[in-house]
Amino acid sequence: MSAARLHLVPVRSREAKEFVRLWHRHHRPPVGQIFSVGAADEAGTLRAVAVVGRPVARHLDDGTTLEVTRTASDGTSNANSLLYGAAWRAAKALGYRRLITYTQAGESGASLRGAGWRVLAHRPPRPGWDRPSRPRTDHGTAHVARTLWQAP
């Protein structure tokens, strides 16, 4: 999609989750969130959203760290970079000291690099969360290597 002049807009949880449901390539909408933010074009059409919540990994959930749990875009250029930058500014304004996210193998991370984020670690594929003692449904993310990123 061609480049558009974008601006940040507030997005309610329900609207952000519906946008993720419609546009995200491989994840369902997240269950919870702390806040969400959107990017809209000059006509006010929502082009991308970022959902920020508590870290999924409980050892990172220290009260001062948040995670961008989803971004989704209709393909508008630079929308995700705009949102990653805005998410970090908002998290800092709320008193958080760290913002992280993950990309899957095969995703370039260009939007994150464009927003100044840096790679913290490369995580190997995991077999999934299903255990005999706690059965869980696979949502297509098992057996996929990931990269952990942190805001500047």
Side-chain angles (χ1 to χ4, degrees), residues 41-124:
D41 63 17
E42 297 101 337
T45 303
L46 188 62
R47 298 297 183 177
V49 298
V51 178
V52 179
R54 292 172 50 195
V56 174
R58 65 179 173 219
H59 70 279
L60 296 175
D61 190 8
D62 58 8
T64 64
T65 300
L66 289 179
E67 179 177 337
V68 177
T69 55
R70 299 288 186 283
T71 61
S73 166
D74 67 1
T76 300
S77 296
N78 303 319
N80 278 341
S81 292
L82 176 72
L83 293 176
Y84 280 122
W88 176 226
R89 291 189 303 276
K92 284 193 300 188
L94 291 170
Y96 292 92
R97 295 195 305 251
R98 185 175 184 209
L99 183 63
I100 61 170
T101 196
Y102 292 88
T103 54
Q104 290 189 349
E107 296 175 330
S108 71
S111 296
L112 290 156
R113 282 192 304 280
W117 289 49
R118 62 185 160 90
V119 172
L120 282 185
H122 296 281
R123 304 282 192 230

Side-chain angles (χ1 to χ4, degrees), residues 2-59:
S2 65
R5 290 188 56 90
L6 299 172
H7 61 277
L8 297 172
V9 294
V11 179
R12 292 180 182 249
S13 175
R14 184 173 294 156
E15 184 180 11
K17 289 176 182 181
E18 179 61 14
F19 195 94
V20 169
R21 190 187 67 72
L22 291 171
W23 289 101
H24 202 283
R25 293 185 305 255
H26 51 78
H27 280 308
R28 297 181 319 177
V31 174
Q33 71 174 54
I34 301 295
F35 67 88
S36 55
V37 62
D41 63 17
E42 297 101 337
T45 303
L46 188 62
R47 298 297 183 177
V49 298
V51 178
V52 179
R54 292 172 50 195
V56 174
R58 65 179 173 219
H59 70 279

